[in-house]
Amino acid sequence: MPDVARRLDEVRARIARAARACGRRPEEVTLLAVSKGQPPEALAAAHAAGQRRFGESYLQEARAKMEALAALEGLEWHFVGPIQSNKAKAIAARFDWVHSLDRADLAERLARHRPGTLPPLQVCIQVNVSGEPTKRGVAPEGAAALAEAVAALPRLRLRGLMAIPAPERDPARQRAAFAAVRELLEGLRAAGHTGLDTLSMGMSADLEAAVAEGATIVRVGTAVFGPRPPRDARA
Ligand SMILES: *Cc1c(COP(=O)(O)O)cnc(C)c1O
């Protein structure tokens, strides 16, 4: 699948250009390849092209890929989708990162079920920055209280914030939403969460705006792998 290697190169170049354009170093931005809906062969092709971090949104699908790709070295798995409470145990046992933490009871479950044999689970709090009722995430006003709760739990390491702003074509409006997330993170740091170092924001359509506002992880799916097959058409 040489296509994936070519697309990966293009996305890496986009990230590097966006970083340099605002005086950041390209290495400050980590590419998370969001592989939901893609077959294991696509991830293997990305791995052959040097990609190690993969984002998944559905537990069953992710588990099948983890098994299929168990022989590959250095894979890092990030859960980016909505989490039902009854899936917390399996997610805590299998993933390195969770980007979509949005409630205290879920944090408690993840902490309780994170195996002591593994490093702490790296977590980001998902913020509903555009205030869309259909979107997941804690309201910006609730982020500080949730951060307090998460920081007090064992086996979790709070790293920062994740957001999926409402789609906007206008780059200035894209940036405004990402700026709000950055300011929220700065507020948490000023309030004593000095170890927070992660802004997980920016996808295929808006990664440049996210990098300009300080993204440290961009979560990119279609620009890396091409279009996703519709969910109900998947095996
Ligand atoms: C699917 C998905 C992405 C990637 O979206 P693209 O537009 O394909 O780049 C990023 N983040 C989350 C949470 C997703 O579910």
Side-chain angles (χ1 to χ4, degrees), residues 79-94:
F79 198 87
V80 301
I83 303 179
Q84 296 162 267
S85 296
N86 64 354
K87 304 280 170 65
K89 182 176 182 181
I91 287 170
R94 286 178 172 78

Side-chain angles (χ1 to χ4, degrees), residues 126-140 162-164:
Q126 183 174 354
V127 185
N128 186 356
V129 71
S130 307
E132 295 169 284
T134 56
K135 283 269 170 71
R136 298 288 180 125
V138 65
M162 183 274 246
I164 313 174

Side-chain angles (χ1 to χ4, degrees), residues 14-104:
R14 279 177 67 188
I15 293 169
R17 261 197 312 275
R20 291 200 191 93
C22 62
R24 302 181 65 198
R25 287 178 298 120
E27 312 84 72
E28 291 172 31
V29 185
T30 296
L31 171 59
L32 179 64
V34 178
S35 43
K36 65 173 185 228
Q38 303 294 343
E41 295 75 24
L43 286 79
H47 182 272
Q51 181 65 30
R52 294 292 178 271
R53 298 174 173 96
F54 294 93
E56 291 283 338
S57 296
Y58 308 101
L59 178 62
Q60 292 310 117
E61 187 191 318
R63 282 166 80 154
K65 283 181 231 182
M66 287 173 182
E67 270 180 41
L69 300 172
L72 295 187
E73 301 274 335
L75 291 183
E76 193 175 282
W77 295 98
H78 294 232
F79 198 87
V80 301
I83 303 179
Q84 296 162 267
S85 296
N86 64 354
K87 304 280 170 65
K89 182 176 182 181
I91 287 170
R94 286 178 172 78
F95 283 81
D96 301 294
W97 282 69
V98 165
H99 291 235
S100 42
L101 182 63
D102 60 357
R103 55 196 194 276

Side-chain angles (χ1 to χ4, degrees), residues 30-235:
T30 296
L31 171 59
L32 179 64
V34 178
S35 43
K36 65 173 185 228
Q38 303 294 343
E41 295 75 24
L43 286 79
H47 182 272
Q51 181 65 30
R52 294 292 178 271
R53 298 174 173 96
F54 294 93
E56 291 283 338
S57 296
Y58 308 101
L59 178 62
Q60 292 310 117
E61 187 191 318
R63 282 166 80 154
K65 283 181 231 182
M66 287 173 182
E67 270 180 41
L69 300 172
L72 295 187
E73 301 274 335
L75 291 183
E76 193 175 282
W77 295 98
H78 294 232
F79 198 87
V80 301
I83 303 179
Q84 296 162 267
S85 296
N86 64 354
K87 304 280 170 65
K89 182 176 182 181
I91 287 170
R94 286 178 172 78
F95 283 81
D96 301 294
W97 282 69
V98 165
H99 291 235
S100 42
L101 182 63
D102 60 357
R103 55 196 194 276
D105 68 293
L106 175 60
E108 282 159 24
R109 279 176 196 256
L110 290 170
R112 182 157 15 108
H113 293 298
R114 179 65 170 178
T117 49
L118 295 177
L121 184 64
Q122 311 293 304
V123 299
C124 289
I125 290 174
Q126 183 174 354
V127 185
N128 186 356
V129 71
S130 307
E132 295 169 284
T134 56
K135 283 269 170 71
R136 298 288 180 125
V138 65
E141 310 80 67
L146 184 51
E148 281 300 317
V150 175
L153 288 166
R155 315 294 316 138
L156 303 185
R157 170 139 180 247
L158 181 60
R159 296 295 297 270
L161 300 176
M162 183 274 246
I164 313 174
E168 295 278 2
R169 271 170 196 273
D170 175 14
R173 294 176 71 144
Q174 292 175 356
R175 279 191 65 160
F178 293 131
V181 187
R182 173 176 48 73
E183 284 159 16
L184 199 54
L185 186 78
E186 286 164 1
L188 293 175
R189 280 207 202 107
H193 297 282
T194 50
L196 300 192
D197 60 2
T198 301
L199 279 171
S200 166
M201 58 191 198
M203 313 199 296
S204 295
D206 56 14
L207 71 88
E208 282 84 1
V211 169
E213 291 298 340
T216 62
I217 300 180
V218 291
R219 307 178 313 272
V220 184
T222 47
V224 170
F225 294 109
R228 284 180 284 276
R231 253 223 112 187
D232 49 4
R234 289 179 212 162

Side-chain angles (χ1 to χ4, degrees), residues 4-23:
V4 171
R6 181 181 52 77
R7 287 170 177 278
L8 258 178
D9 271 349
E10 284 169 9
V11 171
R12 288 176 183 141
R14 279 177 67 188
I15 293 169
R17 261 197 312 275
R20 291 200 191 93
C22 62

